[in-house]
Amino acid sequence: MKISTTEARTVLPDLIKRAAAGETVELTQYGKTAAVLISVERYERLTRELFSESE
């Protein structure tokens, strides 16, 4: 899902619930993705994978 940062301000609790449920939420500014909201589980998995590759 993509949503502008302006709109995201009004629905942030819903976006957090969606990300926690496994959905990727892209936050856009001026039509370009500026940040991505993901679950903590996905973040931890990506972080582990990233650091295990660099060893």
Side-chain angles (χ1 to χ4, degrees):
M1 140 178 240
K2 286 189 179 188
I3 186 169
S4 72
T5 54
T6 302
E7 185 180 353
R9 290 179 202 166
T10 63
V11 293
L12 185 58
D14 180 56
L15 298 177
I16 292 170
K17 287 177 188 174
R18 292 173 83 150
E23 188 171 344
T24 301
V25 179
E26 294 182 45
L27 303 172
T28 64
Q29 288 183 319
Y30 307 109
K32 296 182 180 182
T33 300
V36 178
L37 187 61
I38 59 173
S39 69
V40 68
E41 291 85 6
R42 188 168 177 195
Y43 170 77
E44 289 172 348
R45 186 180 72 238
L46 292 170
T47 303
R48 277 193 309 271
E49 290 172 2
L50 180 64
F51 287 122
S52 68
E53 289 177 4
S54 64
E55 293 177 358

Short mmCIF file of all heavy atoms in Angstrom, two decimals:
data_model
loop_
_atom_site.label_atom_id
_atom_site.label_comp_id
_atom_site.label_asym_id
_atom_site.label_seq_id
_atom_site.Cartn_x
_atom_site.Cartn_y
_atom_site.Cartn_z
N MET A 1 0.85 -1.17 0.00
CA MET A 1 0.00 0.00 0.00
C MET A 1 0.89 1.23 0.00
O MET A 1 1.90 1.26 0.68
CB MET A 1 -0.91 -0.06 1.23
CG MET A 1 -1.13 1.25 1.94
SD MET A 1 -2.23 1.18 3.33
CE MET A 1 -3.45 2.29 2.77
N LYS A 2 0.50 2.23 -0.75
CA LYS A 2 1.19 3.52 -0.76
C LYS A 2 0.25 4.58 -0.23
O LYS A 2 -0.94 4.58 -0.57
CB LYS A 2 1.64 3.90 -2.17
CG LYS A 2 2.82 3.13 -2.67
CD LYS A 2 3.34 3.72 -3.97
CE LYS A 2 4.54 2.94 -4.45
NZ LYS A 2 5.18 3.59 -5.59
N ILE A 3 0.79 5.47 0.59
CA ILE A 3 -0.01 6.55 1.16
C ILE A 3 0.88 7.76 1.37
O ILE A 3 2.05 7.62 1.74
CB ILE A 3 -0.68 6.10 2.48
CG1 ILE A 3 -1.65 7.14 3.01
CG2 ILE A 3 0.34 5.69 3.51
CD1 ILE A 3 -2.53 6.65 4.14
N SER A 4 0.35 8.94 1.14
CA SER A 4 1.14 10.15 1.33
C SER A 4 1.34 10.40 2.82
O SER A 4 0.52 10.00 3.65
CB SER A 4 0.45 11.37 0.70
OG SER A 4 -0.69 11.72 1.47
N THR A 5 2.43 11.05 3.16
CA THR A 5 2.70 11.35 4.57
C THR A 5 1.61 12.26 5.14
O THR A 5 1.26 12.14 6.31
CB THR A 5 4.08 12.00 4.76
OG1 THR A 5 4.20 13.14 3.91
CG2 THR A 5 5.20 11.01 4.44
N THR A 6 1.05 13.12 4.32
CA THR A 6 -0.03 14.00 4.77
C THR A 6 -1.24 13.18 5.20
O THR A 6 -1.79 13.38 6.27
CB THR A 6 -0.42 14.99 3.66
OG1 THR A 6 0.74 15.74 3.28
CG2 THR A 6 -1.52 15.92 4.12
N GLU A 7 -1.64 12.23 4.36
CA GLU A 7 -2.78 11.38 4.69
C GLU A 7 -2.46 10.43 5.84
O GLU A 7 -3.31 10.13 6.67
CB GLU A 7 -3.22 10.60 3.46
CG GLU A 7 -4.48 9.80 3.69
CD GLU A 7 -4.93 9.01 2.46
OE1 GLU A 7 -4.35 9.19 1.37
OE2 GLU A 7 -5.88 8.24 2.61
N ALA A 8 -1.22 9.94 5.88
CA ALA A 8 -0.82 8.98 6.91
C ALA A 8 -0.99 9.55 8.32
O ALA A 8 -1.28 8.81 9.26
CB ALA A 8 0.62 8.55 6.68
N ARG A 9 -0.83 10.85 8.46
CA ARG A 9 -0.97 11.46 9.78
C ARG A 9 -2.34 11.20 10.39
O ARG A 9 -2.47 11.07 11.60
CB ARG A 9 -0.75 12.97 9.69
CG ARG A 9 0.65 13.35 9.40
CD ARG A 9 0.77 14.86 9.31
NE ARG A 9 1.97 15.16 8.53
CZ ARG A 9 2.24 16.32 8.03
NH1 ARG A 9 1.42 17.33 8.21
NH2 ARG A 9 3.35 16.51 7.35
N THR A 10 -3.34 11.14 9.55
CA THR A 10 -4.71 10.98 10.06
C THR A 10 -5.09 9.53 10.31
O THR A 10 -6.08 9.28 11.00
CB THR A 10 -5.73 11.60 9.09
OG1 THR A 10 -5.68 10.90 7.85
CG2 THR A 10 -5.46 13.08 8.88
N VAL A 11 -4.32 8.59 9.77
CA VAL A 11 -4.66 7.17 9.91
C VAL A 11 -3.48 6.33 10.43
O VAL A 11 -3.44 5.12 10.22
CB VAL A 11 -5.18 6.59 8.57
CG1 VAL A 11 -6.52 7.20 8.19
CG2 VAL A 11 -4.16 6.75 7.46
N LEU A 12 -2.56 6.97 11.12
CA LEU A 12 -1.36 6.27 11.57
C LEU A 12 -1.66 5.02 12.39
O LEU A 12 -1.03 3.97 12.15
CB LEU A 12 -0.43 7.21 12.34
CG LEU A 12 0.92 6.62 12.75
CD1 LEU A 12 1.70 6.12 11.54
CD2 LEU A 12 1.73 7.64 13.52
N PRO A 13 -2.58 5.04 13.34
CA PRO A 13 -2.85 3.79 14.08
C PRO A 13 -3.26 2.63 13.17
O PRO A 13 -2.81 1.50 13.37
CB PRO A 13 -3.99 4.18 15.03
CG PRO A 13 -3.82 5.66 15.22
CD PRO A 13 -3.36 6.15 13.88
N ASP A 14 -4.05 2.89 12.15
CA ASP A 14 -4.44 1.85 11.20
C ASP A 14 -3.24 1.36 10.40
O ASP A 14 -3.10 0.16 10.16
CB ASP A 14 -5.52 2.37 10.25
CG ASP A 14 -5.96 1.32 9.25
OD1 ASP A 14 -6.38 0.23 9.68
OD2 ASP A 14 -5.87 1.59 8.03
N LEU A 15 -2.37 2.26 10.00
CA LEU A 15 -1.18 1.86 9.24
C LEU A 15 -0.27 0.98 10.08
O LEU A 15 0.31 0.02 9.58
CB LEU A 15 -0.42 3.10 8.75
CG LEU A 15 -1.18 4.02 7.80
CD1 LEU A 15 -0.34 5.24 7.45
CD2 LEU A 15 -1.61 3.27 6.55
N ILE A 16 -0.15 1.30 11.35
CA ILE A 16 0.67 0.48 12.25
C ILE A 16 0.08 -0.92 12.37
O ILE A 16 0.80 -1.92 12.32
CB ILE A 16 0.83 1.17 13.61
CG1 ILE A 16 1.68 2.43 13.46
CG2 ILE A 16 1.44 0.21 14.64
CD1 ILE A 16 1.70 3.32 14.69
N LYS A 17 -1.23 -1.01 12.52
CA LYS A 17 -1.89 -2.32 12.61
C LYS A 17 -1.66 -3.13 11.34
O LYS A 17 -1.40 -4.33 11.38
CB LYS A 17 -3.38 -2.15 12.85
CG LYS A 17 -3.72 -1.71 14.24
CD LYS A 17 -5.22 -1.49 14.39
CE LYS A 17 -5.52 -0.85 15.74
NZ LYS A 17 -6.94 -0.49 15.88
N ARG A 18 -1.76 -2.46 10.20
CA ARG A 18 -1.56 -3.16 8.92
C ARG A 18 -0.13 -3.66 8.78
O ARG A 18 0.10 -4.79 8.34
CB ARG A 18 -1.94 -2.24 7.77
CG ARG A 18 -3.44 -1.95 7.73
CD ARG A 18 -3.79 -0.91 6.71
NE ARG A 18 -3.90 -1.56 5.40
CZ ARG A 18 -4.69 -1.15 4.45
NH1 ARG A 18 -5.45 -0.08 4.62
NH2 ARG A 18 -4.74 -1.77 3.30
N ALA A 19 0.82 -2.83 9.15
CA ALA A 19 2.23 -3.25 9.08
C ALA A 19 2.49 -4.40 10.05
O ALA A 19 3.17 -5.37 9.71
CB ALA A 19 3.15 -2.06 9.39
N ALA A 20 1.95 -4.31 11.25
CA ALA A 20 2.13 -5.37 12.24
C ALA A 20 1.54 -6.69 11.75
O ALA A 20 2.04 -7.77 12.10
CB ALA A 20 1.50 -4.97 13.56
N ALA A 21 0.50 -6.61 10.92
CA ALA A 21 -0.13 -7.81 10.36
C ALA A 21 0.61 -8.36 9.15
O ALA A 21 0.22 -9.38 8.59
CB ALA A 21 -1.57 -7.50 9.99
N GLY A 22 1.69 -7.69 8.74
CA GLY A 22 2.51 -8.20 7.64
C GLY A 22 2.46 -7.40 6.36
O GLY A 22 3.18 -7.71 5.40
N GLU A 23 1.63 -6.38 6.30
CA GLU A 23 1.55 -5.56 5.09
C GLU A 23 2.70 -4.55 5.05
O GLU A 23 3.12 -4.05 6.09
CB GLU A 23 0.21 -4.82 5.06
CG GLU A 23 -0.06 -4.09 3.77
CD GLU A 23 -1.47 -3.55 3.68
OE1 GLU A 23 -2.34 -3.97 4.46
OE2 GLU A 23 -1.69 -2.70 2.81
N THR A 24 3.20 -4.27 3.87
CA THR A 24 4.20 -3.23 3.70
C THR A 24 3.49 -1.93 3.35
O THR A 24 2.67 -1.90 2.44
CB THR A 24 5.18 -3.59 2.56
OG1 THR A 24 5.82 -4.83 2.89
CG2 THR A 24 6.23 -2.52 2.35
N VAL A 25 3.80 -0.87 4.09
CA VAL A 25 3.18 0.43 3.87
C VAL A 25 4.26 1.41 3.41
O VAL A 25 5.22 1.66 4.13
CB VAL A 25 2.50 0.96 5.16
CG1 VAL A 25 1.87 2.32 4.92
CG2 VAL A 25 1.47 -0.04 5.68
N GLU A 26 4.11 1.92 2.22
CA GLU A 26 5.06 2.90 1.68
C GLU A 26 4.51 4.30 1.93
O GLU A 26 3.39 4.61 1.55
CB GLU A 26 5.27 2.70 0.19
CG GLU A 26 5.95 1.39 -0.15
CD GLU A 26 6.20 1.25 -1.65
OE1 GLU A 26 6.66 2.23 -2.27
OE2 GLU A 26 5.92 0.16 -2.16
N LEU A 27 5.32 5.13 2.58
CA LEU A 27 4.94 6.51 2.84
C LEU A 27 5.59 7.39 1.77
O LEU A 27 6.81 7.32 1.56
CB LEU A 27 5.41 6.93 4.23
CG LEU A 27 4.88 6.06 5.37
CD1 LEU A 27 5.56 6.44 6.69
CD2 LEU A 27 3.39 6.16 5.49
N THR A 28 4.78 8.18 1.09
CA THR A 28 5.29 8.98 -0.01
C THR A 28 5.28 10.47 0.31
O THR A 28 4.45 10.95 1.08
CB THR A 28 4.46 8.74 -1.29
OG1 THR A 28 3.12 9.18 -1.08
CG2 THR A 28 4.46 7.28 -1.69
N GLN A 29 6.24 11.14 -0.29
CA GLN A 29 6.30 12.61 -0.26
C GLN A 29 6.54 13.07 -1.68
O GLN A 29 7.46 12.58 -2.34
CB GLN A 29 7.44 13.10 0.64
CG GLN A 29 7.18 12.91 2.10
CD GLN A 29 8.30 13.48 2.95
OE1 GLN A 29 9.47 13.34 2.63
NE2 GLN A 29 7.94 14.15 4.03
N TYR A 30 5.71 13.98 -2.13
CA TYR A 30 5.82 14.52 -3.49
C TYR A 30 5.81 13.40 -4.54
O TYR A 30 6.52 13.45 -5.53
CB TYR A 30 7.07 15.39 -3.63
CG TYR A 30 7.16 16.45 -2.58
CD1 TYR A 30 8.10 16.37 -1.56
CD2 TYR A 30 6.27 17.53 -2.57
CE1 TYR A 30 8.17 17.33 -0.57
CE2 TYR A 30 6.34 18.50 -1.58
CZ TYR A 30 7.29 18.40 -0.59
OH TYR A 30 7.35 19.35 0.40
N GLY A 31 5.02 12.34 -4.25
CA GLY A 31 4.86 11.26 -5.21
C GLY A 31 5.94 10.20 -5.20
O GLY A 31 5.87 9.24 -5.96
N LYS A 32 6.95 10.35 -4.36
CA LYS A 32 8.05 9.38 -4.29
C LYS A 32 8.07 8.72 -2.92
O LYS A 32 7.83 9.37 -1.90
CB LYS A 32 9.39 10.06 -4.54
CG LYS A 32 9.52 10.63 -5.94
CD LYS A 32 10.89 11.23 -6.13
CE LYS A 32 11.01 11.81 -7.53
NZ LYS A 32 12.33 12.38 -7.77
N THR A 33 8.41 7.43 -2.89
CA THR A 33 8.49 6.73 -1.62
C THR A 33 9.61 7.32 -0.78
O THR A 33 10.75 7.43 -1.23
CB THR A 33 8.73 5.22 -1.83
OG1 THR A 33 7.65 4.70 -2.60
CG2 THR A 33 8.81 4.48 -0.51
N ALA A 34 9.27 7.73 0.45
CA ALA A 34 10.24 8.34 1.35
C ALA A 34 10.60 7.41 2.50
O ALA A 34 11.70 7.49 3.05
CB ALA A 34 9.68 9.64 1.91
N ALA A 35 9.69 6.52 2.88
CA ALA A 35 9.93 5.60 3.99
C ALA A 35 8.99 4.41 3.83
O ALA A 35 8.00 4.47 3.10
CB ALA A 35 9.66 6.30 5.31
N VAL A 36 9.33 3.33 4.54
CA VAL A 36 8.53 2.11 4.49
C VAL A 36 8.25 1.67 5.92
O VAL A 36 9.16 1.63 6.75
CB VAL A 36 9.27 0.99 3.73
CG1 VAL A 36 8.46 -0.29 3.72
CG2 VAL A 36 9.59 1.44 2.31
N LEU A 37 7.00 1.33 6.18
CA LEU A 37 6.58 0.84 7.49
C LEU A 37 6.38 -0.67 7.37
O LEU A 37 5.61 -1.14 6.52
CB LEU A 37 5.28 1.53 7.89
CG LEU A 37 4.72 1.29 9.27
CD1 LEU A 37 5.70 1.77 10.35
CD2 LEU A 37 3.40 2.04 9.42
N ILE A 38 7.12 -1.44 8.21
CA ILE A 38 7.02 -2.90 8.20
C ILE A 38 6.91 -3.39 9.64
O ILE A 38 7.20 -2.65 10.58
CB ILE A 38 8.23 -3.56 7.50
CG1 ILE A 38 9.54 -3.19 8.18
CG2 ILE A 38 8.25 -3.24 6.02
CD1 ILE A 38 10.77 -3.93 7.66
N SER A 39 6.54 -4.65 9.80
CA SER A 39 6.43 -5.22 11.14
C SER A 39 7.81 -5.38 11.76
O SER A 39 8.83 -5.47 11.07
CB SER A 39 5.76 -6.59 11.08
OG SER A 39 6.61 -7.53 10.45
N VAL A 40 7.83 -5.43 13.08
CA VAL A 40 9.10 -5.62 13.79
C VAL A 40 9.69 -6.99 13.45
O VAL A 40 10.92 -7.11 13.34
CB VAL A 40 8.93 -5.41 15.31
CG1 VAL A 40 8.09 -6.50 15.93
CG2 VAL A 40 10.28 -5.29 15.99
N GLU A 41 8.85 -7.99 13.25
CA GLU A 41 9.36 -9.32 12.89
C GLU A 41 10.09 -9.26 11.55
O GLU A 41 11.17 -9.84 11.41
CB GLU A 41 8.21 -10.33 12.81
CG GLU A 41 7.59 -10.66 14.15
CD GLU A 41 6.51 -9.68 14.57
OE1 GLU A 41 6.12 -8.78 13.76
OE2 GLU A 41 6.04 -9.80 15.71
N ARG A 42 9.51 -8.58 10.59
CA ARG A 42 10.16 -8.48 9.28
C ARG A 42 11.44 -7.67 9.37
O ARG A 42 12.45 -8.02 8.77
CB ARG A 42 9.19 -7.85 8.28
CG ARG A 42 9.70 -7.87 6.87
CD ARG A 42 8.61 -7.51 5.91
NE ARG A 42 9.14 -7.49 4.56
CZ ARG A 42 8.51 -6.94 3.54
NH1 ARG A 42 7.32 -6.41 3.70
NH2 ARG A 42 9.04 -6.93 2.35
N TYR A 43 11.41 -6.60 10.14
CA TYR A 43 12.61 -5.77 10.33
C TYR A 43 13.73 -6.60 10.94
O TYR A 43 14.88 -6.55 10.48
CB TYR A 43 12.27 -4.58 11.22
CG TYR A 43 13.49 -3.80 11.66
CD1 TYR A 43 14.13 -2.93 10.79
CD2 TYR A 43 14.01 -3.96 12.93
CE1 TYR A 43 15.25 -2.23 11.17
CE2 TYR A 43 15.13 -3.26 13.33
CZ TYR A 43 15.75 -2.40 12.45
OH TYR A 43 16.88 -1.72 12.85
N GLU A 44 13.41 -7.37 11.99
CA GLU A 44 14.43 -8.18 12.65
C GLU A 44 14.99 -9.24 11.70
O GLU A 44 16.19 -9.49 11.68
CB GLU A 44 13.86 -8.83 13.91
CG GLU A 44 13.63 -7.82 15.02
CD GLU A 44 12.89 -8.38 16.21
OE1 GLU A 44 12.32 -9.50 16.13
OE2 GLU A 44 12.86 -7.67 17.24
N ARG A 45 14.11 -9.86 10.90
CA ARG A 45 14.57 -10.86 9.94
C ARG A 45 15.51 -10.24 8.90
O ARG A 45 16.58 -10.76 8.60
CB ARG A 45 13.39 -11.53 9.25
CG ARG A 45 13.81 -12.69 8.35
CD ARG A 45 12.64 -13.37 7.66
NE ARG A 45 12.12 -12.49 6.61
CZ ARG A 45 10.87 -12.04 6.56
NH1 ARG A 45 9.99 -12.37 7.48
NH2 ARG A 45 10.48 -11.27 5.58
N LEU A 46 15.12 -9.08 8.38
CA LEU A 46 15.96 -8.41 7.39
C LEU A 46 17.29 -7.98 7.99
O LEU A 46 18.33 -8.10 7.34
CB LEU A 46 15.23 -7.19 6.81
CG LEU A 46 14.01 -7.49 5.94
CD1 LEU A 46 13.25 -6.21 5.65
CD2 LEU A 46 14.44 -8.17 4.66
N THR A 47 17.26 -7.51 9.22
CA THR A 47 18.49 -7.09 9.90
C THR A 47 19.41 -8.29 10.12
O THR A 47 20.61 -8.20 9.87
CB THR A 47 18.15 -6.41 11.24
OG1 THR A 47 17.29 -5.30 10.99
CG2 THR A 47 19.40 -5.91 11.93
N ARG A 48 18.85 -9.41 10.58
CA ARG A 48 19.66 -10.62 10.77
C ARG A 48 20.28 -11.05 9.45
O ARG A 48 21.46 -11.39 9.39
CB ARG A 48 18.80 -11.77 11.32
CG ARG A 48 18.61 -11.74 12.79
CD ARG A 48 18.03 -13.06 13.30
NE ARG A 48 16.85 -13.51 12.58
CZ ARG A 48 15.60 -13.20 12.88
NH1 ARG A 48 15.34 -12.41 13.89
NH2 ARG A 48 14.59 -13.68 12.17
N GLU A 49 19.48 -11.07 8.38
CA GLU A 49 19.98 -11.48 7.07
C GLU A 49 21.09 -10.55 6.59
O GLU A 49 22.10 -10.99 6.06
CB GLU A 49 18.85 -11.52 6.05
CG GLU A 49 17.86 -12.64 6.29
CD GLU A 49 16.64 -12.56 5.38
OE1 GLU A 49 16.56 -11.64 4.53
OE2 GLU A 49 15.75 -13.41 5.54
N LEU A 50 20.92 -9.27 6.80
CA LEU A 50 21.91 -8.29 6.37
C LEU A 50 23.22 -8.48 7.10
O LEU A 50 24.29 -8.51 6.50
CB LEU A 50 21.38 -6.87 6.59
CG LEU A 50 22.30 -5.73 6.20
CD1 LEU A 50 22.56 -5.74 4.69
CD2 LEU A 50 21.71 -4.41 6.61
N PHE A 51 23.14 -8.63 8.41
CA PHE A 51 24.38 -8.78 9.20
C PHE A 51 25.02 -10.14 9.02
O PHE A 51 26.24 -10.26 9.10
CB PHE A 51 24.12 -8.48 10.67
CG PHE A 51 23.91 -7.01 10.93
CD1 PHE A 51 22.73 -6.56 11.51
CD2 PHE A 51 24.88 -6.07 10.58
CE1 PHE A 51 22.53 -5.20 11.73
CE2 PHE A 51 24.69 -4.73 10.80
CZ PHE A 51 23.51 -4.29 11.38
N SER A 52 24.25 -11.19 8.76
CA SER A 52 24.85 -12.50 8.55
C SER A 52 25.58 -12.56 7.21
O SER A 52 26.56 -13.27 7.06
CB SER A 52 23.79 -13.60 8.63
OG SER A 52 22.90 -13.54 7.55
N GLU A 53 25.12 -11.77 6.22
CA GLU A 53 25.78 -11.72 4.92
C GLU A 53 27.11 -10.98 5.01
O GLU A 53 28.03 -11.25 4.26
CB GLU A 53 24.89 -11.04 3.89
CG GLU A 53 23.70 -11.86 3.48
CD GLU A 53 22.80 -11.12 2.51
OE1 GLU A 53 23.14 -10.00 2.10
OE2 GLU A 53 21.74 -11.67 2.18
N SER A 54 27.21 -10.02 5.93
CA SER A 54 28.43 -9.20 6.00
C SER A 54 29.53 -9.87 6.82
O SER A 54 30.65 -9.37 6.87
CB SER A 54 28.10 -7.82 6.60
OG SER A 54 27.66 -7.95 7.94
N GLU A 55 29.24 -10.99 7.46
CA GLU A 55 30.27 -11.66 8.27
C GLU A 55 31.11 -12.58 7.44
O GLU A 55 30.85 -13.08 6.46
CB GLU A 55 29.60 -12.44 9.41
CG GLU A 55 28.95 -11.51 10.40
CD GLU A 55 28.22 -12.28 11.51
OE1 GLU A 55 28.18 -13.51 11.48
OE2 GLU A 55 27.69 -11.61 12.39
#
